Amino acid sequence: MSFGQAILVAVLAGAGTYLVMHRTLTRIILGLAMLGNAVNLLILTSGGTPGEAPVIGRTGEFTDPVPQALVLTAIVIGFGVLSFLLSMAYRSWTIDGNDEVEDDIADRRLADEPDEVVDHGEPT
Amino acid sequence: MITLLLAHLGSSLICLIPGRRSARWALPLAAVAPAVTFGWLVSQSSAVLHGHYPTTTITWVAELGLTISLRLDGLGLLMGLIVSGIGTLVLLYSTSYFGKRDDLGRLAGLLVGFAGAMLGIVWADGLLTLFVFWELTSITSFLLIGFEDRSATARSAAQRAFLVTGGGGLALLAGLILLGQAGDTTSISQLLADPPSGTVVTVALVLVLMGALTKSAQFPFHFWLPGAMAAPTPVSAYLHSATMVKAGLVVVARFAPVFAPVGPWRWLVVSAGLASLVIGGFRAMRQADAKLALAHGTVSQLGFMMVLLGLGTPATTYAGMAMLLAHALFKAALFLSVGVVDHSAGTRDMRRLRGLLRSLPVAAGMIIVASASMAAIPPTFGFVAKEKALDSLLDPGVGLVGWVALVGIVLGSVLTVAYTIRIAVGLLGNDAPGVPAADGRAAVVETPVGPSSLHRPSAGFLAAPVLLAALSVVFGLAADPVGHWLAEAAASIDPASASGSLHLWTGINTPLVLSSLIILGGWAVWWTTVAATRTMDAPYSLATRLYDHAYDALLAGARRLTVATQSGSLPFYVGVVLTTVAAAMATALIAGASQSITDVKWFNSALEAPLVALTALMALAVIAAKQRFTAAVLLGGSGYLLAIVYLLQGAPDLAITQFLVETLTIVVFLLALARLPRDFSPAPPWAPAWVRIGISVAVGVTVAAFALGASHARTAPSVGEDYIALSEPAAGGRNVVNVILVDFRGFDTLGEITVLAVAGAGVVNLVRSARRQQRRKQLADGVELEDRSGRPSEVWR
């Protein structure tokens, strides 16, 4: 892994983090995609030095095929998750007219309520 | 034995079936199982008294040594007779007490279930069997105390009782497990036959005592018991005379002969017992409600028995057994009689009751007899038992603690006599109208209830208390045979107590002198306080107040903790999670930074530098993008560039996949974005920008540092070399990545496809339901929704 690749991982992960911490679902999805890219790159590049594509018959030092297989799976699954989340954003929009992730109302209500007064009944 | 317990369980379930429907048959039906048990116990008694103890063992989990084991010894026989006998009487009494109600099925079911659980405790031989039945009584008593579930008092009292005894139950469980580990057995009889020793055992015994003291309502856990008066009177009678509170005594009685000399046992038991004896006595002096006064008296009496049984010498154990029997008889009789008074007069307030001696002669007689037994006045059984108790304490041979116990018990008994007289006189002897309290506290003297305003109880209603009160006298007169029977029963827990005997008249000796002094002292105390206590109604007890405060504070604290940590904001949670990730990785990196990372190139190839710069720029541009469409395209751009990075890394398969997927992603985004508003919503950020940027930078830097560290951390050769070597000979493929995916790790790929299929199904359903909703809206509004597609929704303008 080179410093250049490390910097790219840092930028992708940082940008993804920033997007994920948004309230808009679309931005969160973009952020997740970006985080996915960062992690894929991380796995691939930390797997070893770059070399020839691992195809039998080619000459030269092969790159490690295992991280490649892992990342290939991850890319595909990432796509599945992304499409699912996008359809959720769409569904959310048809219900609320926006795709904003709202605060949990129950938690808000709890914060606004006064302390519960327990009725201990008649003294004994 | 297990059959009898199952019979209790079975009849309990049958009684619970009708639910809210009227079920008057339930109470008599529920009485069958305890009555049969009583008969069986009588038939077994001669064998048991001669040392042949019936046992039942059912293996549950053999590997863990878990068995349900029961053993009927002398203590089990005595307590079994008390539990089932008084249980039968209470259930029959209840048929008259309750009359018509629509939840009698529930009451009967709970009562008989409770009786069964209590029998389980007194018969249990396995440590865990004991615990299981112990908890069962906690649960059933919770339901019984809270039976009047519309009353906040009852609910609160039930919860208090459950939390206190349940907490004690956990201590007991820990203690029993430690004992079982130390003694390498799960059988109580084996444990006591071959007792282990050591620090662990001392700790275990203190834990067991915690359980026993909470269950038997001993100081400082005594406060739950008077609150339990919120239960209907028959339930109180049963809980306070024969069961529940006796469970702790049974455990102490079993363990004390062997373990009393260990560690702080005797001091713990004696101090808790004496404190309860005195506090209960004082509070019993200050109640206006006769039932509450009796309840505080129960705390006091339990303290007395706790001291006797806890000391664990043969003589005190024997006296304690006698007291167990005496207390069960007179306390049940008193509670049931007060129930009769309450039922007939409509109140238990001693300030209002007038002239019961004339109007309820039978009930009044029972109250006098049972009170005499409670105050230890001859010729009752209470007197005989207390004589024995005083005698056993005169020379217990356990050092200072024995003398403390004697002095404490004499003083406490003075109080017992005083409050007994006060209750009896308060219930019966009052002909004068109520007077206001001396300190001007509002004396709640409403309409006095006298002979004219009550109805007479039926004979069946009176039968149970009459029988119990009569037994208190009969056993007193027949002290010698009863004493012989008890001695044989006591021999099962301490063989040395087999020589014990009871006599009504033992000649003029120290116990008799003490008894006389106690009675005189008690009368004097009552006489001097009679005016002050006539109109008194005690305030909330300090222990209850402390408990309630602690309970309220716990709930409020839990709420505040929830409010402080659970803001309900998803971005906040995500921020916390990611900060934790960054912090954890940073810690790991700093802790593991043993070798410096050397020999790292800036770029692997000349092409990499501009590529990295461009990809990074695009990624940052996604953040800045104001419109959804722009952001999606920029993300796609950075994805395409990433594919080239993969290619340079020597991964053409990945590059192709990334390229295809990125194209698909853009298509899906466009499909979805066509419906969504164009601009991002102006939703307020959850934290200032510098916080969010700080977290992002921290995550980015730590992830990159981790990547650099990880890429230099390899210590073993990659499995990839095997895959490369095997690819052609084993799988017949040349592209190793492909071979891994479809052959070596084929099942992983199957899983991946499944995930895709599930996600696809989810997408289809979400989109279809969205469509349906839109179509409905369209029909309802008559508006062409298609017009709005691709434009910001009205909400967002």
Side-chain angles (χ1 to χ4, degrees):
Chain A
M1 182 181 217
S2 68
F3 279 125
Q5 289 168 331
I7 290 167
L8 186 53
V9 168
V11 171
L12 288 175
T17 304
Y18 187 84
L19 287 169
V20 161
M21 290 187 293
H22 262 275
R23 283 186 193 279
T24 325
L25 194 50
T26 314
R27 273 217 168 108
I28 294 174
I29 297 166
L30 290 168
L32 283 174
M34 197 111 50
L35 276 176
N37 281 344
V39 173
N40 288 344
L41 186 62
L42 186 156
I43 293 174
L44 185 72
T45 53
S46 61
T49 46
E52 195 62 43
V55 176
I56 310 289
R58 289 197 170 211
T59 50
E61 188 76 8
F62 287 166
T63 43
D64 194 339
V66 177
Q68 294 194 27
L70 288 175
V71 170
L72 206 151
T73 311
I75 292 173
V76 176
I77 288 187
F79 168 71
V81 172
L82 197 97
S83 355
F84 182 74
L85 287 175
L86 272 171
S87 54
M88 252 171 67
Y90 172 56
R91 182 80 184 98
S92 164
W93 172 72
T94 56
I95 293 170
D96 290 349
N98 65 51
D99 64 339
E100 198 182 318
V101 180
E102 282 163 3
D103 281 1
D104 191 334
I105 299 164
D107 282 326
R108 285 263 200 81
R109 205 178 287 146
L110 189 68
D112 296 338
E113 274 171 5
D115 273 346
E116 188 187 353
V117 179
V118 181
D119 186 357
H120 292 295
E122 295 281 310
T124 44
Chain B
M1 289 159 97
I2 199 82
T3 324
L4 288 168
L5 293 184
L6 287 177
H8 280 84
L9 178 69
S11 45
S12 163
L13 292 178
I14 291 171
C15 292
L16 288 173
I17 288 171
R20 289 258 165 217
R21 270 167 288 154
S22 173
R24 291 213 65 188
W25 48 266
L27 286 165
L29 176 82
V32 172
V36 171
T37 308
F38 190 83
W40 180 77
L41 284 171
V42 169
S43 75
Q44 293 292 316
S45 59
S46 79
V48 170
L49 293 179
H50 287 93
H52 305 294
Y53 305 136
T55 56
T56 306
T57 304
I58 296 170
T59 307
W60 185 0
V61 184
E63 291 76 16
L64 297 176
L66 267 184
T67 52
I68 299 171
S69 53
L70 304 171
R71 181 165 171 271
L72 181 64
D73 62 358
L75 180 63
L77 178 67
L78 172 69
M79 284 304 299
L81 286 171
I82 292 176
V83 169
S84 56
I86 295 186
T88 313
L89 291 177
V90 163
L91 280 163
L92 293 177
Y93 171 90
S94 300
T95 52
S96 307
Y97 182 84
F98 286 107
K100 265 194 160 69
R101 275 182 72 149
D102 54 3
D103 48 4
L104 288 185
R106 187 156 65 99
L107 182 84
L110 289 174
L111 265 178
V112 71
F114 178 75
M118 194 63 208
L119 286 174
I121 290 184
V122 300
W123 292 345
D125 188 42
L127 291 169
L128 287 170
T129 316
L130 173 67
F131 174 73
V132 168
F133 285 115
W134 185 278
E135 291 295 277
L136 265 179
T137 58
S138 287
I139 295 165
T140 40
S141 68
F142 166 75
L143 295 170
L144 280 169
I145 295 169
F147 185 70
E148 306 283 1
D149 50 16
R150 291 200 181 85
S151 143
T153 311
R155 288 198 306 270
S156 189
Q159 198 182 42
R160 231 177 268 147
F162 183 69
L163 288 180
V164 173
T165 57
L170 291 182
L172 178 83
L173 175 66
L176 292 179
I177 289 175
L178 286 178
L179 276 182
Q181 295 280 328
D184 197 23
T185 173
T186 56
S187 153
I188 294 175
S189 48
Q190 281 173 30
L191 186 77
L192 294 175
D194 181 20
S197 60
T199 323
V200 176
V201 175
T202 312
V203 173
L205 289 174
V206 171
L207 288 170
V208 169
L209 267 186
M210 285 300 123
L213 293 179
T214 50
K215 197 80 161 181
S216 287
Q218 294 298 286
F219 180 83
F221 312 112
H222 59 288
F223 56 88
W224 70 261
L225 197 146
M229 285 302 104
T233 300
V235 173
S236 308
Y238 197 39
L239 252 59
H240 289 190
S241 63
T243 56
M244 189 69 177
V245 292
K246 293 275 170 78
L249 293 176
V250 167
V251 169
V252 168
R254 260 192 219 296
F255 281 55
V258 174
F259 286 118
V262 176
W265 175 286
R266 279 194 175 120
W267 279 108
L268 263 178
V269 169
V270 168
S271 49
L274 290 182
S276 315
L277 178 63
V278 173
I279 291 174
F282 268 117
R283 290 196 63 82
M285 294 290 288
R286 304 173 59 186
Q287 305 297 326
D289 182 342
K291 194 173 157 194
L292 263 183
L294 282 178
H296 287 288
T298 305
V299 172
S300 176
Q301 296 277 329
L302 287 168
F304 185 94
M305 287 181 274
M306 188 57 86
V307 171
L308 285 179
L309 292 169
L311 280 174
T313 70
T316 55
T317 301
Y318 178 65
M321 298 264 293
M323 275 305 295
L324 274 181
L325 178 59
H327 179 255
L329 292 176
F330 68 67
K331 199 42 84 50
L334 276 172
F335 269 115
L336 296 182
S337 308
V338 168
V340 171
V341 170
D342 190 11
H343 200 268
S344 302
T347 182
R348 308 186 297 254
D349 192 326
M350 293 190 282
R351 294 165 305 191
R352 294 180 60 202
L353 292 166
R354 300 280 178 275
L356 289 187
L357 217 46
R358 273 168 287 136
S359 50
L360 290 175
V362 181
M366 291 183 308
I367 288 173
I368 290 171
V369 170
S371 298
S373 191
M374 180 149 88
I377 293 166
T380 57
F381 192 59
F383 166 74
V384 175
K386 191 163 269 182
E387 285 282 281
K388 193 78 220 164
L390 291 170
D391 182 44
S392 74
L393 286 169
L394 281 179
D395 187 21
V398 290
L400 179 63
V401 67
W403 294 107
V404 172
L406 177 65
V407 174
I409 282 208
V410 170
L411 293 178
S413 299
V414 171
L415 279 175
T416 307
V417 174
Y419 74 70
T420 310
I421 301 178
R422 178 170 176 265
I423 293 170
V425 172
L427 277 171
L428 308 173
N430 214 344
D431 270 335
V435 286
D439 60 355
R441 196 142 42 92
V444 198
V445 185
E446 299 134 36
T447 349
V449 178
S452 54
S453 55
L454 46 76
H455 63 90
R456 288 186 179 280
S458 69
F461 194 18
L462 291 169
V466 165
L467 181 62
L468 290 167
L471 281 180
S472 288
V473 181
V474 170
F475 281 1
L477 294 174
D480 290 43
V482 174
H484 183 66
W485 194 95
L486 280 174
E488 287 183 330
S492 70
I493 49 173
D494 190 354
S497 57
S499 58
S501 61
L502 292 179
H503 308 286
L504 182 57
W505 177 249
T506 49
I508 295 172
N509 52 17
T510 326
L512 189 69
V513 173
L514 280 177
S515 277
S516 317
L517 287 175
I518 288 169
I519 293 170
L520 281 174
W523 184 82
V525 169
W526 169 72
W527 184 250
T528 49
T529 58
V530 61
T533 57
R534 177 168 294 159
T535 54
M536 178 165 276
D537 200 6
Y540 233 154
S541 93
L542 179 66
T544 314
R545 269 209 307 273
L546 282 176
Y547 168 87
D548 285 346
H549 279 313
Y551 182 77
D552 290 346
L554 184 73
L555 288 191
R559 206 184 70 88
R560 276 185 208 126
L561 187 69
T562 312
V563 169
T565 56
Q566 305 293 304
S567 65
S569 157
L570 182 70
F572 172 74
Y573 296 157
V574 171
V576 171
V577 169
L578 289 170
T579 311
T580 314
V581 168
M585 278 201 297
T587 316
L589 282 168
I590 292 164
S594 52
Q595 75 237 44
S596 57
I597 295 164
T598 51
D599 191 27
V600 180
K601 282 185 255 176
W602 272 99
F603 295 103
N604 287 323
S605 64
L607 195 55
E608 206 175 76
L611 205 55
V612 163
L614 206 55
T615 319
L617 272 179
M618 281 206 173
L620 292 173
V622 174
I623 296 178
K626 293 269 182 292
Q627 294 176 353
R628 288 163 206 271
F629 181 73
T630 324
V633 169
L634 284 169
L635 176 77
S638 80
Y640 283 135
L641 291 173
L642 200 61
I644 304 178
V645 177
Y646 291 159
L647 196 62
L648 291 181
Q649 183 73 11
D653 296 286
L654 273 194
I656 295 167
T657 315
Q658 175 78 16
F659 199 82
L660 289 174
V661 163
E662 212 56 58
T663 312
L664 269 176
T665 306
I666 292 178
V667 170
V668 172
F669 254 107
L670 292 182
L671 281 175
L673 293 187
R675 305 277 173 184
L676 287 169
R678 186 186 58 182
D679 290 350
F680 283 117
S681 62
W686 59 276
W690 65 267
V691 174
R692 288 177 290 148
I693 293 173
I695 295 176
S696 308
V697 169
V699 170
V701 169
T702 47
V703 167
F706 168 78
L708 277 173
S711 66
H712 286 78
R714 187 186 288 285
T715 54
S718 168
V719 289
E721 286 168 22
D722 296 341
Y723 286 140
I724 292 169
L726 283 170
S727 178
E728 206 170 11
R734 289 166 157 267
N735 185 332
V736 184
V737 176
N738 285 3
V739 167
I740 292 174
L741 285 173
V742 300
D743 198 312
F744 295 141
R745 309 292 310 169
F747 276 115
D748 292 356
T749 310
L750 185 69
E752 172 196 345
I753 295 168
T754 315
V755 170
L756 272 189
V758 170
V763 170
V764 168
N765 277 313
L766 281 169
V767 172
R768 275 173 65 182
S769 64
R771 284 266 165 80
R772 267 202 301 279
Q773 192 193 345
Q774 282 200 319
R775 210 170 296 139
R776 273 203 300 277
K777 222 193 247 170
Q778 217 168 337
L779 286 172
D781 300 352
V783 178
E784 278 294 314
L785 269 169
E786 304 319 309
D787 291 352
R788 274 165 59 179
S789 61
R791 290 192 194 167
S793 78
E794 281 162 15
V795 182
W796 296 99
R797 281 204 229 191

